[in-house]
Amino acid sequence: MACNASKVPMLRVIAKRGYSASACPRPVGQAAAVQTKQLDNKVVVASAEAQLPVTRVSVVFGAGSRNETYESQGATHMLRVAAGLTNKNSTGFAVTRNIQQKGGNLSVTSDREVVAYTVETTANNMEVGLQYLQDVIQPAFKPWELADIVPFVKNQVACVPHQVQAVELLHKAAFRNGLGNSVYVPKFQIGKLSSETMLHYVANNFTAGRCAVVGVGVDHNALVGFAQSLEMPTGGKSGSASNYYGGDARKDTPGNVAHVAVAGPGGAVSNPKEALAFAVLQCALGAGAATKRGAVNGPFGKALSSALGDASARFAALNASYADAGLFGFVVSTEAQNAGKAVDALARALKSGSVSADDVNRGKALLKVAVLDAYATDSSLIAEMGLQAVLTKDVQSADAVVAAIDGITQQDVQSAAKKAGSSKLSVGAVGNLAHVPYSSDLA
């Protein structure tokens, strides 16, 4: 006789099997509906699509690199790397083995605002995934394990692309500290962040008031129950505001290519209409080709083509919106001898503050496509839900976001362009910088 302990209740088997036989919860490409609730301890819970074969759950903290001090620079990078190490309840081996045995996946992402722990499993293995997700948000930071990952961290820092380095330097020039902190650990900090420093960072930032639990493919009430079971402190100091300063941060490297990021003040998430206006402006000026090998339209593309002719260059409009500040500008990579002409041409286009009605309409259409695509793709949806829940304590539906985009006028977009272009610009540059202008040259 088989042991009853190994049997699964018949009703549960029928329910799980029924998922595969039932109709798709929504037509392919249609945006998912979202439910949101705030618990008494200020944790925000948001869910979408209860019946999906794959469950994704994220625990997101407002603990990004902007919260680091000078002594704890690089803490969020170490959090990403240390997620698979020993925690307070299980070893790193137990986490890896048990999640992989269920065909699941655990990942950690972070940026300047948030740190997000995400587990993906099949629906019938959700309990195991949530168990280890609850464990990994309580890291132990054993000193010998932190020492063992130093070579891996050095390799990660050495492999950061030059364009990304330019954007990191741009933030440093623009904000100095806070949002100026890099999402990568500085080289002088590698191996210097102690177990005590990391535990102190977690204790101050992994708090209930700065936490959101979001899920896709999980019942909302079940997700609320999981969020209520999490043990988190209620204290912790709030992050400080970041002021925009402007200036230059440059890094000379060998070679014949220059990578330059230039930006002025952008829109903050705290001002949704302005933030959306900058998002439309990004698509209108030229955020990249909409199709593979497609042409890049907009003022940025035209200005660069006029300045360089047949010379090769890669560029994209840059838009970064944070809780209380933002950056808007461009990133360009080209041969060193053409860098000056490319940056001057794009800076003039940025400072002109002129955006045609056709550009605005195209920008709104491209942004709506991007929003609907994000809400219709489960992996993108959970990231968007987590960011909104932590920064705004709410998650907007796709229809609400699209309606807000439709409400953006040409005047709103032009006002955003003038805000970015009329202020002191910031410049971050990496590569052969012989011909790259300074921010004072772009005034």
Side-chain angles (χ1 to χ4, degrees), residues 378-392:
D378 298 333
S379 57
S380 300
L381 173 60
I382 195 167
E384 180 65 26
M385 289 169 58
L387 191 60
Q388 287 189 35
V390 168
L391 296 186
T392 68

Side-chain angles (χ1 to χ4, degrees), residues 93-116:
F93 175 78
V95 173
T96 302
R97 181 184 184 279
N98 286 285
I99 290 180
Q100 289 186 346
Q101 283 288 94
K102 300 299 182 181
N105 179 54
L106 175 69
S107 60
V108 183
T109 58
S110 69
D111 57 23
R112 286 177 166 79
E113 295 278 16
V114 302
V115 176

